[in-house]
């Protein structure tokens, strides 16, 4: 029977080659993988990556999926074929997506832009509130200008409402980006 070749990332290969590492869950492999990495990869991204690799190894019959009837826990075991497989170490698998550092820089740039936009919108809101308050003071001082001052006051209030909506939207996007 010809030897099967499977591409695998170096970190994952090292973990799986450890003889004591068998009968594992995806979460355990993910945790071991994250602790071995030097980058700050997110837990969810690491889980997805590990899960895809485990599924691929199950498909190639290098691992066996074991469902325990007593619980919903799924474990994976190395098969006899595992030791016969020719693993081709591929460092580019880990970096097939944009590197985490690049993502971090991009995310930081987006967050910084959103924060600057938030500050500017808050300044605009304060200006608009100050404007509407001044129209009220002017109205009290010059009641004969009621019609003009009232329309200007309403425009300033409408502007304040729009700006408040923009601030809420920006804060919502910011909180989503920072998760």
């Amino acid at each position: 029977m010809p030897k099967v070749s499977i591409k695998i990332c170096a970190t994952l290969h090292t973990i799986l080659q450890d003889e004591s590492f068998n009968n594992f869950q995806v979460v355990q492999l993910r945790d071991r993988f994250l602790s071995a990495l030097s980058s700050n990869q997110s837990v969810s991204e690491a889980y997805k990556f590990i899960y895809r690799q485990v599924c691929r190894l199950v498909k190639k019959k290098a691992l066996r999926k074991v469902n325990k009837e007593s619980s919903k826990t799924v474990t994976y075991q190395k098969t006899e074929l595992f030791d016969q497989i020719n693993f081709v170490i591929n460092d580019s698998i880990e970096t097939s997506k944009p590197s985490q550092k690049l993502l971090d820089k991009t995310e930081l740039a987006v967050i910084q832009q959103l924060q600057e936009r938030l500050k500017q919108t808050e300044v605009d809101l304060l200006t608009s509130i100050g404007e509407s308050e001044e129209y009220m003071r002017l109205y009290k001082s010059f009641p004969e200008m009621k019609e003009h001052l009232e329309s200007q006051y309403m425009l300033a209030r409408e502007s304040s409402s729009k700006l408040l909506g923009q601030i809420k939207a920006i804060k919502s996007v910011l909180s989503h980006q920072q998760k």
Side-chain angles (χ1 to χ4, degrees), residues 139 143-152:
Y139 170 70
E144 66 276 4
M145 297 177 73
K146 175 184 178 186
E147 194 173 305
H148 174 71
L149 292 172
E150 196 172 71
S151 68
Q152 293 300 103

Side-chain angles (χ1 to χ4, degrees), residues 49-63:
F49 173 75
I50 294 298
Y51 184 75
R52 284 191 304 269
Q53 299 308 307
V54 167
C55 287
R56 199 166 56 88
L57 291 171
V58 168
K59 192 174 181 180
K60 299 274 188 179
K61 297 186 177 14
L63 296 177

Side-chain angles (χ1 to χ4, degrees), residues 23-62:
N23 295 316
F24 60 90
Q25 295 173 7
V26 174
V27 175
Q28 293 169 320
L29 183 55
R30 177 210 60 200
D31 292 346
R32 198 90 166 277
F33 180 78
L34 283 173
S35 66
L37 283 182
S38 58
S39 68
N40 294 347
Q41 188 172 14
S42 77
V43 175
S44 64
E45 285 299 316
Y47 184 88
K48 290 174 192 173
F49 173 75
I50 294 298
Y51 184 75
R52 284 191 304 269
Q53 299 308 307
V54 167
C55 287
R56 199 166 56 88
L57 291 171
V58 168
K59 192 174 181 180
K60 299 274 188 179
K61 297 186 177 14

Side-chain angles (χ1 to χ4, degrees), residues 123-160:
V123 168
D124 293 346
L125 176 64
L126 291 173
T127 303
S128 185
I129 290 171
E131 183 182 355
S132 63
E133 288 173 349
E134 186 58 27
Y135 285 129
M136 284 302 291
R137 281 192 288 277
L138 289 169
Y139 170 70
K140 288 178 183 172
S141 300
F142 307 103
E144 66 276 4
M145 297 177 73
K146 175 184 178 186
E147 194 173 305
H148 174 71
L149 292 172
E150 196 172 71
S151 68
Q152 293 300 103
Y153 170 77
M154 293 308 286
L155 287 172
R157 292 254 335 238
E158 185 180 313
S159 174
S160 296

